[in-house]
Every structure is written in structure tokens, then in C-alpha cells.
Amino acid sequence: MDFSRYLKQYPDADGRFGKYGGAYLPEQLIPAFKEITHAYQTICHSSDFINELRRIRKEFQGRPTPVYHCKTLSRKLGSCQIYLKREDLNHTGAHKLNHCMGEGLLAQFMGKKRIIAETGAGQHGVALATAAAFFGLDCTIYMGEVDIAKQAPNVARMKILGAEVVPVSTGLKTLKEAVDAAFEDYLQNYETTIYCIGSAVGPHPFPMMVRDFQYVVGVEAREQFQEMMGFLPDVVTACVGGGSNSIGFFLPFVNDPVDIVGVEPLGRGKEMGDHAASMSYGTEGVMHGFDSIMLKDAEGNPAPVYSIASGLDYPSVGPEHAFLRDVGRVKYEVASDEDAVDAFFKLSRYEGIIPALESSHAVAYAMKLAKQMGTGSILVNLSGRGDKDLDYVIDHYGYGEKYADFD
Ligand SMILES: *Cc1c(COP(=O)(O)O)cnc(C)c1O
């Protein structure tokens, strides 16, 4: 396949990446999503929008984030060199703000007064509440009661940022019920409100918009690496939950002679319910309004999923990833909880960077690959910082003495 005009060709007018993607919506919401698509396709070409987004990225988010060479970690593994794109240094500590600021700016340009979303662990909620505060928009975040109890610091952040956090007490009181509640709200309020999806998933135009807003990560990284080294990396890699940090990081390399690898969470193992490696173990299906690869139970419903990294435990994946795998451009590998924890401690101890457990999956894969390759270079998207994970990690793994050594 020829990738030289890839971005212009995909998705098509119906939001399709090959057979994946699209928009499977209740009748009443079709006009609302069409309105967003139309507005985005107009606004994203306006110089006011582009200039404002640039200013926000520079002055508010602190972009560009640097590319960093992990000298010590690389030396411990052999001669292959590992580099990090430091999205952990983005304001609020992860890549999610890249698309939330874009979604907030779009809401402002469309004259909407309110943005809403669901959140699981609270990371998307905090990023969206940050954008709402910046743009002076009302913000409502739906969150299951079980998650609220587990994620007190993120709930506090959202409230301090001025968002309303609505506890959802139906069903299992977690993410799925929060999604339903947010959709319900959107059905009532789509004239004043945008429902901001938290990854490169959901009905068209969200996989495309979120990708476009994350694209800056890969553009910067490619330029920075080239400037630093005079050539491109042999491999680029990132963790894949819904697929937002990875898609934005990957696409600027899609027409280069560079291997691209997404890393999914293997959790505790291959059994259903123990992992969230949709691409590795899933099949095609439709859920949450789009066609992609998904993990299904015996009845064909979304399967239970698990990962130590709550940002990765989603039973499907963005449709563009499914497409890029089918055409053979991106490969998908897995890293387990144990691999991720090992990488978490090693990157902390040998480079002074405490990574998010999500990002640790990509670091783990890079460490394994570096040993195999023996030479060359790997550029990893470090999607976020690990402060949010410290309590959990210390409770379960202490201070990581047993992960200090390389074997
Ligand atoms: C949410 C999150 C992820 C996973 O989301 P993607 O959409 O797959 O990028 C990865 N890393 C961090 C730090 C996150 O907060």
C-alpha cells in the first residue's frame, strides 16, 4: 500500500478506515454527530483555530515536549539505544490533554457552552475538566460510584477545576454505566453540549479528530529525533488502550522505513477477563458506536477486561489501528502486568523518570526488543507520568528492590 497520501485518504467521508470505523448511532444523535463533523472539517482549516491551538500548546501545555536518550537503561541492555518522547511532561502529566484542549477549542468555536464525558480512573475526566476551566465551559463528568471511591485524588482535582462529578449508581457502578449515563445526558442536551470522547474510539468523527489532535506528538518526535541523530529511529512504539497516544505518535512515521509497534496489556495472562489485548485476541464487531476489533464474551457482548494500568483496560481499540494492522503497516505485541512493573521500576531507578503504568508497557516492550536487536534505535512514546500510580505500586510491589537488577 502507498502511504504517501494516507492522511488525505483515511478516513473516507463516512468515517471508515477500510471496513472499520463508521458511526452506529441512535436515530436522534445522527444530526448531532453530523454537526460536529461538519464544524470540525470547516473549523480545523481556519487560521484562527490553528493559531489558537498552537498558542495553547506552547503557552499552556508546555509543548513541544522533549525527546530524551536513555543512556543508562540502553547500556544495561546492550548496544541498541532507547529514546523517549516525553509526553509525561505535558501539562497535567499525560498526552490526554492534547485532544481535550482540541475538543474544548472546537466546542468554543461551535458556540457550545458545555462539555461532558464519562471517566473510569479519572484521567480523562481531569484532562477534560482542565480544558473546561481554560475555555470557561461548564463541565459534567459521569463516574461510577465504585470508581469514585477508588480515585479520590482525581475526583478532588475535577471538583477543584470546577467540574461537576456525577456519581453513577446503576449496575456495577463503573465505567460502562458511566458511558450510558453520559450518552443519556447527551441525548437530552446535544444542542448546548459536546460529548468529548477520551480516546481515538467512538463514532465518526471522534477517531479522526482525536488522531488529528494527537498528531503533533509524532510530528515533534520525528523532527526532534532527526535533528538529534541525523536519521530516523528503526522502531517506534507506544502503548495501546483505545489508541490515542499511539495513533498520533505513529502516523507521522507511516510513510518512512520505520517499524511501528503498538503494545497491548496482557495483564495476568491470556484467559478472558485477565487481559485487555483486543488486537491480539479479539475479533471484528461493533460496540460503542463503531466497527473495530473487540474482545467478546460467549454471548457476543463486550468481554470483561483487566490490566494493572486502568487507562488500558478497554475491550476494543480505535478503528484506525485495526485497519493499519490489516494492511500490515503496524504490528501489535503485548506486555504483561509483570513486564510493565519491571519497566516502571527500571526506568525510575536508572533514568530518574517515573512512568505511568500504561506507558510502562511500551517501555517494557522496548527493553525486550532492544536486547533482541542488539543495535539500532527505538523511540518510545512515554504517554504519561507515574505519580498517579505510586500508591497502588507501593502497596503491591513495595519500592521495587527485586526489580533493580538486569538479567
Ligand atoms: C489513558 C492513558 C493511556 C491509554 O489511552 P490511549 O488512548 O490508548 O492513548 C495511555 N497512557 C496514559 C498515561 C493514559 O493516561
Short mmCIF file of all heavy atoms in Angstrom, two decimals, residues 93-96 99 123-124 198-201 210 214 239-247 310-312 321 356-359 382-385 388-389, ligand 1:
data_model
loop_
_atom_site.label_atom_id
_atom_site.label_comp_id
_atom_site.label_asym_id
_atom_site.label_seq_id
_atom_site.Cartn_x
_atom_site.Cartn_y
_atom_site.Cartn_z
N GLY A 93 0.36 15.99 32.98
CA GLY A 93 1.13 14.75 33.12
C GLY A 93 0.86 13.64 32.14
O GLY A 93 1.31 12.51 32.36
N ALA A 94 0.15 13.92 31.06
CA ALA A 94 -0.06 12.87 30.06
C ALA A 94 -0.52 13.47 28.74
O ALA A 94 -0.83 14.66 28.66
CB ALA A 94 -1.09 11.85 30.55
N HIS A 95 -0.58 12.60 27.72
CA HIS A 95 -0.96 13.04 26.38
C HIS A 95 -2.42 13.43 26.27
O HIS A 95 -2.81 14.06 25.29
CB HIS A 95 -0.68 11.90 25.39
CG HIS A 95 -1.68 10.79 25.54
ND1 HIS A 95 -1.66 9.91 26.59
CD2 HIS A 95 -2.77 10.46 24.79
CE1 HIS A 95 -2.67 9.08 26.47
NE2 HIS A 95 -3.36 9.38 25.40
N LYS A 96 -3.27 12.99 27.22
CA LYS A 96 -4.72 13.17 27.05
C LYS A 96 -5.11 14.64 26.85
O LYS A 96 -6.08 14.94 26.18
CB LYS A 96 -5.49 12.59 28.23
CG LYS A 96 -5.59 11.07 28.19
CD LYS A 96 -6.65 10.56 29.14
CE LYS A 96 -6.83 9.06 29.00
NZ LYS A 96 -5.64 8.31 29.53
N HIS A 99 -5.78 16.04 23.12
CA HIS A 99 -7.08 16.02 22.44
C HIS A 99 -8.15 16.75 23.24
O HIS A 99 -9.07 17.31 22.64
CB HIS A 99 -7.50 14.62 21.99
CG HIS A 99 -7.62 13.58 23.04
ND1 HIS A 99 -6.72 12.55 23.17
CD2 HIS A 99 -8.53 13.37 24.00
CE1 HIS A 99 -7.07 11.76 24.16
NE2 HIS A 99 -8.18 12.24 24.69
N GLN A 123 -8.61 9.88 34.67
CA GLN A 123 -7.59 10.61 33.90
C GLN A 123 -8.23 11.48 32.80
O GLN A 123 -7.85 12.63 32.63
CB GLN A 123 -6.58 9.64 33.27
CG GLN A 123 -5.75 8.86 34.25
CD GLN A 123 -4.99 9.75 35.20
OE1 GLN A 123 -5.28 9.84 36.38
NE2 GLN A 123 -4.01 10.44 34.67
N HIS A 124 -9.18 10.89 32.07
CA HIS A 124 -9.85 11.66 31.03
C HIS A 124 -10.68 12.78 31.67
O HIS A 124 -10.71 13.90 31.16
CB HIS A 124 -10.74 10.75 30.17
CG HIS A 124 -11.53 11.49 29.13
ND1 HIS A 124 -10.96 12.41 28.27
CD2 HIS A 124 -12.85 11.46 28.82
CE1 HIS A 124 -11.90 12.90 27.48
NE2 HIS A 124 -13.05 12.35 27.80
N GLY A 198 -12.81 10.14 25.02
CA GLY A 198 -11.49 10.23 25.63
C GLY A 198 -10.36 9.49 24.92
O GLY A 198 -9.24 9.45 25.42
N SER A 199 -10.64 8.90 23.76
CA SER A 199 -9.57 8.22 23.02
C SER A 199 -9.94 8.21 21.55
O SER A 199 -10.96 8.80 21.16
CB SER A 199 -9.38 6.80 23.56
OG SER A 199 -8.27 6.20 22.92
N ALA A 200 -9.13 7.56 20.73
CA ALA A 200 -9.38 7.54 19.28
C ALA A 200 -10.41 6.46 18.95
O ALA A 200 -10.19 5.61 18.09
CB ALA A 200 -8.08 7.31 18.53
N VAL A 201 -11.52 6.48 19.69
CA VAL A 201 -12.59 5.48 19.56
C VAL A 201 -13.93 6.20 19.42
O VAL A 201 -13.98 7.43 19.41
CB VAL A 201 -12.62 4.54 20.78
CG1 VAL A 201 -11.32 3.78 20.91
CG2 VAL A 201 -12.91 5.31 22.07
N VAL A 210 -9.57 12.95 17.30
CA VAL A 210 -8.62 12.67 18.37
C VAL A 210 -7.24 12.37 17.77
O VAL A 210 -6.21 12.84 18.25
CB VAL A 210 -9.13 11.52 19.28
CG1 VAL A 210 -8.05 11.03 20.22
CG2 VAL A 210 -10.36 11.99 20.07
N GLN A 214 -3.76 14.50 18.31
CA GLN A 214 -2.56 13.84 18.85
C GLN A 214 -1.40 13.80 17.86
O GLN A 214 -0.27 13.47 18.23
CB GLN A 214 -2.88 12.39 19.28
CG GLN A 214 -3.81 12.28 20.49
CD GLN A 214 -3.17 12.77 21.78
OE1 GLN A 214 -1.95 12.97 21.87
NE2 GLN A 214 -3.99 12.98 22.79
N CYS A 239 2.11 2.40 23.89
CA CYS A 239 1.07 1.54 24.46
C CYS A 239 -0.27 1.86 23.80
O CYS A 239 -0.51 2.98 23.36
CB CYS A 239 0.98 1.71 25.97
SG CYS A 239 0.43 3.34 26.51
N VAL A 240 -1.14 0.84 23.75
CA VAL A 240 -2.44 0.99 23.09
C VAL A 240 -3.56 0.59 24.05
O VAL A 240 -3.67 -0.57 24.43
CB VAL A 240 -2.53 0.10 21.83
CG1 VAL A 240 -3.89 0.27 21.16
CG2 VAL A 240 -1.42 0.44 20.85
N GLY A 241 -4.36 1.58 24.44
CA GLY A 241 -5.60 1.30 25.18
C GLY A 241 -6.71 1.46 24.16
O GLY A 241 -7.04 0.54 23.41
N GLY A 242 -7.29 2.66 24.10
CA GLY A 242 -8.19 2.99 22.99
C GLY A 242 -7.39 3.33 21.75
O GLY A 242 -7.86 3.19 20.63
N GLY A 243 -6.16 3.80 21.97
CA GLY A 243 -5.27 4.03 20.84
C GLY A 243 -4.99 5.48 20.48
O GLY A 243 -4.58 5.75 19.35
N SER A 244 -5.17 6.42 21.42
CA SER A 244 -4.95 7.82 21.04
C SER A 244 -3.49 8.24 21.05
O SER A 244 -3.01 8.83 20.09
CB SER A 244 -5.79 8.76 21.92
OG SER A 244 -5.38 8.74 23.26
N ASN A 245 -2.76 7.94 22.12
CA ASN A 245 -1.36 8.38 22.13
C ASN A 245 -0.57 7.68 21.04
O ASN A 245 0.28 8.28 20.38
CB ASN A 245 -0.73 8.21 23.53
CG ASN A 245 -0.11 6.86 23.79
OD1 ASN A 245 1.04 6.62 23.43
ND2 ASN A 245 -0.86 5.94 24.40
N SER A 246 -0.90 6.41 20.80
CA SER A 246 -0.17 5.64 19.79
C SER A 246 -0.47 6.14 18.37
O SER A 246 0.46 6.31 17.58
CB SER A 246 -0.51 4.16 19.93
OG SER A 246 -1.90 3.97 20.02
N ILE A 247 -1.74 6.39 18.06
CA ILE A 247 -2.04 6.75 16.66
C ILE A 247 -1.39 8.08 16.28
O ILE A 247 -0.82 8.23 15.20
CB ILE A 247 -3.56 6.74 16.37
CG1 ILE A 247 -3.82 6.58 14.88
CG2 ILE A 247 -4.28 7.97 16.88
CD1 ILE A 247 -3.58 5.22 14.35
N SER A 310 -5.09 1.15 34.47
CA SER A 310 -6.53 1.33 34.24
C SER A 310 -6.80 2.06 32.93
O SER A 310 -7.88 1.92 32.36
CB SER A 310 -7.16 2.05 35.42
OG SER A 310 -6.44 3.24 35.68
N GLY A 311 -5.84 2.82 32.42
CA GLY A 311 -6.04 3.52 31.15
C GLY A 311 -6.00 2.59 29.95
O GLY A 311 -6.29 3.01 28.83
N LEU A 312 -5.62 1.34 30.15
CA LEU A 312 -5.51 0.41 29.02
C LEU A 312 -6.61 -0.64 29.01
O LEU A 312 -6.69 -1.43 28.08
CB LEU A 312 -4.14 -0.31 29.05
CG LEU A 312 -2.89 0.56 28.96
CD1 LEU A 312 -1.64 -0.32 28.97
CD2 LEU A 312 -2.91 1.44 27.72
N HIS A 321 -6.41 1.59 14.09
CA HIS A 321 -5.42 0.57 14.44
C HIS A 321 -5.76 -0.76 13.76
O HIS A 321 -4.88 -1.45 13.25
CB HIS A 321 -5.36 0.38 15.95
CG HIS A 321 -4.67 1.49 16.67
ND1 HIS A 321 -3.30 1.61 16.69
CD2 HIS A 321 -5.14 2.56 17.36
CE1 HIS A 321 -2.96 2.69 17.40
NE2 HIS A 321 -4.06 3.29 17.80
N ALA A 356 3.99 6.40 33.91
CA ALA A 356 2.66 5.83 34.14
C ALA A 356 2.72 4.33 33.87
O ALA A 356 3.50 3.87 33.02
CB ALA A 356 1.64 6.50 33.22
N LEU A 357 1.87 3.56 34.55
CA LEU A 357 1.85 2.11 34.30
C LEU A 357 1.44 1.81 32.86
O LEU A 357 1.88 0.82 32.28
CB LEU A 357 0.91 1.42 35.29
CG LEU A 357 1.48 1.24 36.70
CD1 LEU A 357 0.40 0.75 37.65
CD2 LEU A 357 2.67 0.27 36.70
N GLU A 358 0.61 2.67 32.27
CA GLU A 358 0.23 2.49 30.86
C GLU A 358 1.49 2.56 30.00
O GLU A 358 1.82 1.64 29.25
CB GLU A 358 -0.75 3.59 30.42
CG GLU A 358 -2.14 3.48 31.01
CD GLU A 358 -2.24 4.07 32.42
OE1 GLU A 358 -1.22 4.59 32.92
OE2 GLU A 358 -3.34 4.00 33.01
N SER A 359 2.21 3.66 30.13
CA SER A 359 3.42 3.88 29.33
C SER A 359 4.48 2.81 29.60
O SER A 359 5.28 2.48 28.72
CB SER A 359 4.02 5.26 29.65
OG SER A 359 3.02 6.19 29.96
N LEU A 382 6.40 7.99 25.69
CA LEU A 382 6.12 7.88 27.13
C LEU A 382 4.87 8.72 27.40
O LEU A 382 4.94 9.90 27.69
CB LEU A 382 7.32 8.38 27.95
CG LEU A 382 7.30 7.90 29.39
CD1 LEU A 382 7.69 6.43 29.46
CD2 LEU A 382 8.18 8.73 30.29
N SER A 383 3.71 8.04 27.33
CA SER A 383 2.44 8.77 27.29
C SER A 383 2.13 9.55 28.56
O SER A 383 1.41 10.55 28.51
CB SER A 383 1.29 7.80 26.98
OG SER A 383 1.30 6.71 27.88
N GLY A 384 2.65 9.12 29.72
CA GLY A 384 2.32 9.85 30.95
C GLY A 384 3.24 9.53 32.11
O GLY A 384 4.03 8.60 32.06
N ARG A 385 3.10 10.33 33.16
CA ARG A 385 3.94 10.13 34.33
C ARG A 385 3.23 9.27 35.37
O ARG A 385 2.01 9.14 35.37
CB ARG A 385 4.35 11.47 34.92
CG ARG A 385 3.21 12.26 35.51
CD ARG A 385 3.70 13.59 36.10
NE ARG A 385 2.56 14.33 36.61
CZ ARG A 385 2.35 15.63 36.41
NH1 ARG A 385 3.20 16.34 35.70
NH2 ARG A 385 1.31 16.22 36.94
N LYS A 388 0.34 9.18 39.63
CA LYS A 388 -0.99 8.66 39.92
C LYS A 388 -0.96 7.20 40.34
O LYS A 388 -1.91 6.71 40.94
CB LYS A 388 -1.89 8.83 38.69
CG LYS A 388 -1.44 7.96 37.52
CD LYS A 388 -2.28 8.16 36.28
CE LYS A 388 -1.80 7.31 35.12
NZ LYS A 388 -1.79 5.84 35.36
N ASP A 389 0.11 6.49 40.00
CA ASP A 389 0.19 5.05 40.26
C ASP A 389 0.98 4.69 41.51
O ASP A 389 1.07 3.52 41.88
CB ASP A 389 0.83 4.34 39.05
CG ASP A 389 0.01 4.53 37.78
OD1 ASP A 389 -1.22 4.36 37.85
OD2 ASP A 389 0.59 4.86 36.74
C1 LIG B 1 -5.38 6.97 29.12
C2 LIG B 1 -3.94 6.69 29.01
C3 LIG B 1 -3.43 5.79 28.05
C4 LIG B 1 -4.30 4.98 27.13
O1 LIG B 1 -5.06 5.68 26.23
P1 LIG B 1 -4.78 5.70 24.66
O2 LIG B 1 -6.00 6.33 24.12
O3 LIG B 1 -4.58 4.30 24.19
O4 LIG B 1 -3.56 6.51 24.44
C5 LIG B 1 -2.06 5.64 27.94
N1 LIG B 1 -1.22 6.30 28.76
C6 LIG B 1 -1.66 7.17 29.71
C7 LIG B 1 -0.67 7.85 30.56
C8 LIG B 1 -3.04 7.39 29.86
O5 LIG B 1 -3.47 8.23 30.81
#
